[in-house]
Amino acid sequence: MFSKACKYAINAMIYVASLPENGQRAGLKEIAKAINSPEAFTAKILQQLVRDELLNSAKGPHGGFEIQGNPNTITIAQIVGSIDGDMIFTGCALGLEKCSEDHPCPVHHKFKAVRDHLTGMMLTTNLKDIATRVNDGISFLKY
Amino acid sequence: MFSKACKYAINAMIYVASLPENGQRAGLKEIAKAINSPEAFTAKILQQLVRDELLNSAKGPHGGFEIQGNPNTITIAQIVGSIDGDMIFTGCALGLEKCSEDHPCPVHHKFKAVRDHLTGMMLTTNLKDIATRVNDGISFLKY
DNA sequence: ATATTTAAAGATATTTTTGTCTTTATTTAA
DNA sequence: TTAAATAAAGACAAAAATATCTTTAAATAT
């Protein structure tokens, strides 16, 4: 479904969003440890999220990462789009270049319904809600 | 969503299923050309489908591949399972090992609905129905 | 100013996936 | 019984994804 990079990205964003509002920024090491991901690889992914303005970063002592803007307005769809691109939203399930409503691949209509379901879910699932459930101990970031 | 190998597999199965019932078997070259896939790589994939008893193969002149059993009873789910395994049906969206109803990852419930939709669709979509639509010119295997 | 802490950038390495090539085995037909 | 046609198997190659390492840049605190 998602690349590993994308899974790390979602996990990392949820972790950062779950931290107390007025707390310190989260450093790379802290994030990688929290989500059980390889540190250097995670750094690359965070850089991409910063480039796409989903995270802010600061160098130096007490530097680190924080959510850019309101976690309420950041969706899973944005994170996925940043790391995996939008083929998952728009691409043909069978990989055909010219698959469309007018010229559908053999599974086009069946998959369209699933894809629309997936897309809708991702667009309407925001970081704040997810982070709240993590903080309430209702869901978990590892193990 | 699916690996390229899996996409080739689905396409190939649909192509073979779309051939006339009493016709010749389809050879590797014919299949690869029909679905626009690399020949040698396609060969590996077809071998796997034969191992998993979704296809029959025969060597020698007039050899080739044919659907094993009734195309009515072969589902997309079986083809996907043969090539990509069943992580797409059962795996955690965020890649967590211990994600379950009792110990859900942060997006577990949201994704469960989508995954169940996907799984149900794949389980209820059989080759015969798809092949029929290809034969009727309602859907297309390439371009 | 300098040392320390941190992220960014870029080079490199490893693993997985995708793809190819060569050889072997089997079947058919002449 | 030999030649041709085909898939199977296995070795190899290329590309992409994942992961690491090294150097640089920026910020802070002393």
Side-chain angles (χ1 to χ4, degrees):
Chain A
M1 186 85 92
F2 303 134
S3 68
K4 288 183 85 167
C6 188
K7 293 172 184 175
Y8 294 146
I10 298 172
N11 274 116
M13 290 292 286
I14 295 172
Y15 173 71
V16 175
S18 76
L19 297 175
E21 297 255 350
N22 300 330
Q24 302 282 302
R25 281 179 277 253
L28 169 63
K29 278 182 196 166
E30 175 188 347
I31 295 173
K33 188 169 293 180
I35 69 173
N36 214 23
S37 67
E39 206 174 296
F41 189 45
T42 304
K44 298 300 183 188
I45 295 161
L46 296 178
Q47 280 175 36
Q48 178 63 34
L49 294 170
V50 169
R51 265 181 242 117
D52 283 345
E53 304 184 352
L54 298 175
L55 284 178
N56 278 322
S57 69
K59 293 179 184 177
H62 313 304
F65 300 86
E66 64 195 349
I67 300 294
Q68 178 161 356
N70 190 339
N72 239 307
T73 67
I74 298 183
T75 66
I76 298 291
Q78 287 175 275
I79 302 168
V80 171
S82 171
I83 305 298
D84 278 354
D86 53 9
M87 285 308 275
I88 192 158
F89 304 109
T90 61
C92 170
L94 298 187
L96 304 207
E97 294 256 335
K98 304 203 177 170
C99 174
S100 66
E101 290 295 309
D102 284 357
H103 190 87
C105 81
V107 298
H108 185 82
H109 293 96
K110 298 247 180 189
F111 268 88
K112 183 170 173 12
V114 173
R115 189 195 315 285
D116 287 352
H117 186 176
L118 175 66
T119 300
M121 184 275 280
M122 291 200 277
L123 282 171
T124 57
T125 301
N126 71 73
L127 264 190
K128 181 68 189 286
D129 291 349
I130 302 178
T132 299
R133 283 206 300 279
V134 172
N135 281 330
D136 292 350
I138 295 171
S139 63
F140 306 88
L141 278 169
K142 56 175 177 179
Y143 310 125
Chain B
M1 188 84 91
F2 303 134
S3 68
K4 288 184 84 167
C6 188
K7 293 172 185 175
Y8 293 146
I10 298 171
N11 274 117
M13 289 292 285
I14 295 171
Y15 173 71
V16 176
S18 75
L19 297 175
E21 299 254 349
N22 300 330
Q24 301 282 304
R25 282 180 275 254
L28 169 63
K29 277 181 195 167
E30 175 188 347
I31 295 171
K33 188 170 291 183
I35 69 173
N36 214 24
S37 66
E39 204 175 297
F41 190 43
T42 304
K44 300 298 183 188
I45 295 161
L46 297 178
Q47 280 175 37
Q48 178 64 34
L49 295 170
V50 169
R51 266 183 242 117
D52 284 344
E53 305 184 351
L54 298 174
L55 283 179
N56 279 321
S57 69
K59 294 179 184 176
H62 312 304
F65 300 86
E66 65 195 347
I67 301 294
Q68 179 162 356
N70 190 338
N72 239 307
T73 69
I74 298 182
T75 66
I76 299 292
Q78 287 176 275
I79 301 168
V80 171
S82 171
I83 304 298
D84 277 355
D86 54 10
M87 286 306 277
I88 193 157
F89 303 110
T90 63
C92 170
L94 298 186
L96 304 206
E97 292 258 336
K98 304 204 177 170
C99 174
S100 65
E101 290 295 308
D102 284 356
H103 190 88
C105 81
V107 297
H108 186 81
H109 293 96
K110 297 247 182 189
F111 268 88
K112 182 169 174 18
V114 173
R115 189 195 315 286
D116 287 352
H117 186 176
L118 176 65
T119 300
M121 184 276 280
M122 289 200 278
L123 282 171
T124 57
T125 302
N126 72 72
L127 265 190
K128 180 70 190 286
D129 291 349
I130 303 177
T132 299
R133 283 207 300 281
V134 172
N135 281 330
D136 291 351
I138 295 171
S139 63
F140 305 88
L141 278 169
K142 56 178 180 177
Y143 310 124

